Amino acid sequence: MSLAVVTGSSGLVGSETVKFLAEQGLEVVGIDNNLRRYFFGPDGSTERRTGELQRTLRGFTHHDLDIRDECRISGLFGRLGRATSLVVHAAAQPSHDWAAREPLTDFSVNADGTLVLLDAARRHCPEAVFVLLSTNKVYGDTPNRLPLVEQQLRWELDVAHPFSPHGIDESMSIDCSMHSLFGASKLSADILTQEYGRYFGMRTGTFRCGCVTGPAHAAVEQHGFLAYLVKCALSGRTYTIFGHKGKQVRDNIHARDLVRALWQFFLAPRSAAVYNMGGSRHSNCSILEAIGKIEALCGRRVQTALGEARAGDHVWYISDVRRFRKDYPDWAHAYDLDRILAELTEAARAV
């Protein structure tokens, strides 16, 4: 039986990856030490998800390890050896604001942790496919220099711009911009993953994701835009809009759609591949548009407050996924925005 290692295995993308790979018949080794609870408090804890995976999945083994612990990670990879055919690295510190509070911790998790994993894979399972869940924040605030047009409920890109029909592609520069400290640490991981592909010939794929969502998200104010907005709507909690009049635009991809893309890459891997991955023009919204849709679904008003815009945050970001679809034409989105929001609302009501 083929074996896969998934880091951040109790998080949104990690847990969906674990379930999907188990369904395909792979033995899955999960690595997650619930550092998310340290980042975000009890609401961000993944402990419940860990227990659920252990109870319901055959062939799944959980390891409470810190990805920065070189000795223990190397020991685990050494024991697994060349049976490991896939490594999906989904563990991260994911928040702009949190990174600014503890820059050393943020960089150690996102950059150093990635290096530890890459080198463990290089030494113990060099033929394995290595997938990094990166972020569109590697482009910094360069997207904010695009010619944006203010509309009633959203900012939109001028239709004359080449990015307008499909979104931002991988040609956008990563230089000379404000990335946020989170974006800088993730960019380090991004480049390291590419370099291990080029320099050592490993089969690596870097997926620069927009907003990833789904009912498995332990959403908090600092991470998990749509799921947290639904939580606020149903609980009566005030949702803070950070700048840009609530018209800032994000594309949103369901975690299951993302995991199916990772699976396609695993089946036909490349070396040092980089893909923008998100909801694209298929699934995107502004905060104001999302609020309107969620109010209709929940049957109640969302209480909002206005906050200052976050440094380096995007005003408009939609991913162009055509490079990935060209390389993997069997993949397409299964979830649009309405289906995502309906599922999030149903899941939140069931809690």
Side-chain angles (χ1 to χ4, degrees):
M1 179 184 291
S2 187
L3 186 149
V5 175
V6 179
T7 73
S9 54
S10 299
L12 171 63
V13 177
S15 63
E16 291 288 359
T17 302
V18 167
K19 290 195 300 181
F20 182 89
L21 295 178
E23 290 167 2
Q24 310 312 309
L26 275 69
E27 183 179 348
V28 184
V29 173
I31 299 173
D32 197 307
N33 64 343
N34 198 15
L35 199 56
R36 191 177 172 90
R37 182 184 176 91
Y38 173 70
F39 297 149
F40 306 124
D43 283 351
S45 174
T46 57
E47 184 177 7
R48 183 181 63 83
R49 196 67 169 169
T50 300
E52 178 184 313
L53 294 173
Q54 290 176 309
R55 289 192 305 272
T56 60
L57 295 181
R58 296 181 60 185
F60 171 69
T61 306
H62 175 77
H63 291 266
D64 185 356
L65 292 179
D66 192 317
I67 60 171
R68 298 168 292 182
D69 190 332
E70 182 180 355
C71 182
R72 295 184 70 191
I73 291 295
S74 180
L76 175 60
F77 273 71
R79 293 191 297 274
L80 299 175
R82 292 177 181 265
T84 303
S85 60
L86 172 64
V87 179
V88 177
H89 179 26
Q93 189 299 110
S95 166
H96 285 74
D97 298 334
W98 200 97
R101 289 205 300 269
E102 291 192 29
L104 296 178
T105 304
D106 171 78
F107 194 87
S108 70
V109 172
N110 290 346
D112 295 341
T114 300
L115 181 58
V116 167
L117 290 161
L118 281 164
D119 212 56
R122 178 184 69 87
R123 287 183 286 115
H124 299 295
C125 52
E127 298 302 316
V129 176
F130 190 103
V131 174
L132 170 70
L133 273 300
S134 186
T135 172
N136 58 26
K137 300 303 187 291
V138 300
Y139 296 118
D141 62 0
T142 299
N144 294 348
R145 302 174 199 163
L146 294 170
L148 299 177
V149 178
E150 185 175 3
Q151 298 181 354
Q152 183 178 0
L153 294 177
R154 63 153 59 197
W155 292 95
E156 189 50 84
L157 185 56
D158 190 308
V159 294
H161 195 278
F163 286 162
S164 180
H166 305 286
I168 294 169
D169 67 26
E170 296 82 359
S171 68
M172 176 164 278
S173 174
I174 61 174
D175 296 321
C176 301
S177 64
M178 179 184 287
H179 291 81
S180 80
L181 292 168
F182 160 72
S185 65
K186 289 294 289 184
L187 177 56
S188 298
D190 188 306
I191 293 174
L192 280 167
T193 303
Q194 294 182 58
E195 195 64 21
Y196 267 67
R198 291 190 175 88
Y199 197 90
F200 295 115
M202 291 174 61
R203 296 182 293 178
T204 64
T206 299
F207 288 74
R208 294 174 173 169
C209 299
C211 291
V212 186
T213 191
H217 213 161
V220 293
E221 182 177 57
Q222 298 178 51
H223 188 240
F225 157 48
L226 285 181
Y228 181 70
L229 186 50
V230 169
K231 183 186 293 187
C232 288
L234 291 174
S235 67
R237 187 182 307 179
T238 298
Y239 180 85
T240 301
I241 298 171
F242 292 99
H244 309 299
K245 305 179 184 179
K247 298 182 180 183
Q248 54 267 56
V249 170
R250 300 289 184 271
D251 63 346
N252 301 274
I253 186 169
H254 196 289
R256 293 193 193 107
D257 280 346
L258 174 58
V259 171
R260 290 191 302 105
L262 306 185
W263 178 251
Q264 290 295 312
F265 182 82
F266 170 63
L267 295 178
R270 290 167 163 77
S271 181
V274 177
Y275 298 107
N276 286 356
M277 179 55 60
S280 73
R281 282 293 185 184
H282 179 77
S283 174
N284 65 87
C285 63
S286 71
I287 292 177
L288 294 182
E289 289 168 340
I291 288 173
K293 286 178 175 290
I294 290 168
E295 287 179 337
L297 282 168
C298 296
R300 58 191 304 176
R301 295 292 299 274
V302 176
Q303 302 300 316
T304 61
L306 296 178
E308 294 293 324
R310 295 178 294 192
D313 207 8
H314 295 153
V315 180
W316 182 94
Y317 194 97
I318 291 176
S319 309
D320 183 347
V321 299
R322 287 180 301 164
R323 174 186 285 186
F324 184 80
R325 293 204 64 186
K326 178 177 180 296
D327 289 346
Y328 301 94
D330 289 341
W331 179 86
H333 294 97
Y335 287 79
D336 62 12
L337 183 65
D338 289 338
R339 185 180 178 190
I340 288 171
L341 290 175
E343 188 178 271
L344 290 176
T345 302
E346 182 180 358
R349 280 180 168 149
V351 174

